[in-house]
Amino acid sequence: MTIFYFTATGNSLAVAKRIAAQAQEEVTLISIPQIMDNLMSEYQDDCIGLIFPIYGCGLPKMVNQFLSHTKLKADYTFTIGTYGFMSGACMFNVQKQGGFDYAESLLMVDNYLPGYEITEEIAKQPQKKTEENLQKILSNISARQKKSNVSTLPWKILTPLIQFIGSTLIKNNQAKGYFVNENCVKCNVCAKVCPSGNITVSDKVHFHQQCEGCLSCVHLCPKNAIHVKHERSTVRWRHPDITLNEIIEANNRI
Ligand SMILES: Cc1cc2nc3c(=O)[nH]c(=O)nc-3n(C[C@H](O)[C@H](O)[C@H](O)COP(=O)(O)O)c2cc1C
């Protein structure tokens, strides 16, 4: 089995690792940022999965590029979108785009700081039934179950609008949304967790023009020195099953 994943704060990687742990076969986990420079036109295995965080009811830009340029050839393919509040028609669209046999979304902690307070998000986890729903996904994948996502007409109409608003917000972050305060010790962690290699650190932290808007730099700064415009939380999130080093390994492009 091969699982491709994209992660900023570890939710999607934690799900990938859980699937790998219960699989009865060898599993290769591939972080999408690590292969973007040498993308193959086709990947083959008996089973292939794609796991990603849902952004603006759609895919992160890089995951969309990955899916658009690559064919996933396997007897069984699955995709899981992790999200915090609303997935819209995302999984319906992704299943159509990638022709996945099984597509499912999983409600987890929402790491979108302009929208959510992280302490409240952590407290909401039992209500979101993350573990219960993950267990169902694990057994469905293990049984190679197929699942077609359906989408209602209002969602089909609303989702492109939400995606447009989402991509505008991400562009705003990219242009002028990040602030670095005096706690910064120029440790370079922000540059290493950035999946697009968009950050360089010299006399200060420089944000360039390839931002995914994923907020990994903000959440994972060891000094909590990076802040995003209109953030509702000074508390940060990293999935407890995932270490900072694992995210660096997954995302480092420098
Ligand atoms: C830029 C951005 C946009 C997001 N958009 C949505 C969204 O449209 N719907 C939603 O429910 N969650 C949204 N989220 C929350 C993430 O999808 C969610 O927290 C995800 O599990 C994070 O996965 P990760 O830890 O693997 O990065 C968004 C997060 C970010 C940073």
Side-chain angles (χ1 to χ4, degrees):
M1 183 190 295
T2 302
I3 302 177
F4 295 93
Y5 71 92
F6 179 97
T7 195
T9 56
N11 290 355
S12 308
L13 176 53
V15 173
K17 284 177 68 180
R18 287 287 295 278
I19 294 171
Q22 64 117 43
Q24 308 283 343
E25 61 199 290
E26 203 180 297
V27 180
T28 310
L29 295 182
I30 300 181
S31 169
I32 290 173
Q34 296 305 321
I35 54 168
M36 284 309 284
D37 292 334
N38 294 299
L39 211 51
M40 284 164 42
S41 57
E42 189 177 294
Y43 290 89
Q44 261 190 15
D45 205 338
D46 60 333
C47 171
I48 297 183
L50 170 69
I51 307 180
F52 61 90
I54 292 175
Y55 290 172
C57 290
L59 291 169
K61 215 166 41 179
M62 193 181 292
V63 178
N64 192 30
Q65 282 162 4
F66 168 76
L67 258 193
S68 311
H69 289 96
T70 304
K71 197 164 171 36
L72 304 177
K73 278 184 105 177
D75 297 335
Y76 180 73
T77 54
F78 67 88
T79 182
I80 300 161
T82 69
Y83 73 113
F85 171 62
M86 184 174 71
S87 58
C90 178
M91 299 319 291
F92 171 79
N93 292 335
V94 176
Q95 184 161 39
K96 215 162 74 174
Q97 183 180 355
F100 291 96
D101 293 312
Y102 178 87
E104 188 57 281
S105 54
L106 179 66
L107 200 48
M108 299 182 85
V109 163
D110 200 312
N111 66 1
Y112 187 63
L113 291 171
Y116 300 93
E117 209 285 308
I118 295 299
T119 313
E120 287 171 14
E121 278 301 300
I122 292 169
K124 270 191 241 158
Q125 284 182 103
Q127 211 175 305
K128 290 188 175 185
K129 299 193 167 125
T130 304
E131 182 54 35
E132 205 177 312
N133 292 331
L134 178 57
Q135 287 294 343
K136 282 184 202 150
I137 291 173
L138 293 178
S139 63
N140 288 343
I141 290 173
S142 181
R144 301 291 191 257
Q145 204 178 91
K146 298 196 173 187
K147 180 186 172 186
S148 293
N149 271 260
V150 284
S151 181
T152 56
L153 189 61
W155 274 124
K156 280 185 187 161
I157 296 166
L158 269 177
T159 298
L161 185 69
I162 297 168
Q163 283 173 343
F164 174 75
I165 296 167
S167 64
T168 310
L169 290 174
I170 290 168
K171 274 188 203 138
N172 280 347
N173 281 348
Q174 181 178 323
K176 48 184 187 301
Y178 301 113
F179 304 95
V180 181
N181 70 21
E182 65 287 352
N183 294 338
C184 174
V185 292
K186 305 189 185 75
C187 66
N188 232 21
V189 166
C190 52
K192 291 181 188 166
V193 297
C194 175
S196 50
N198 191 50
I199 300 174
T200 49
V201 182
S202 52
D203 55 320
K204 60 176 195 155
V205 178
H206 298 271
F207 299 93
H208 304 284
Q209 296 303 313
Q210 305 297 324
C211 180
E212 287 283 329
C214 72
L215 304 182
S216 62
C217 56
V218 180
H219 281 284
L220 300 170
C221 170
K223 297 291 175 187
N224 203 350
I226 309 181
H227 296 263
V228 65
K229 204 172 173 184
H230 304 310
E231 68 185 23
R232 285 195 52 206
S233 177
T234 48
V235 177
R236 302 305 191 222
W237 172 250
R238 171 169 48 80
H239 193 285
D241 294 349
I242 302 300
T243 65
L244 174 61
N245 274 340
E246 285 179 290
I247 298 182
I248 291 176
E249 231 171 81
N251 289 358
N252 194 356
R253 306 278 297 272
I254 54 171

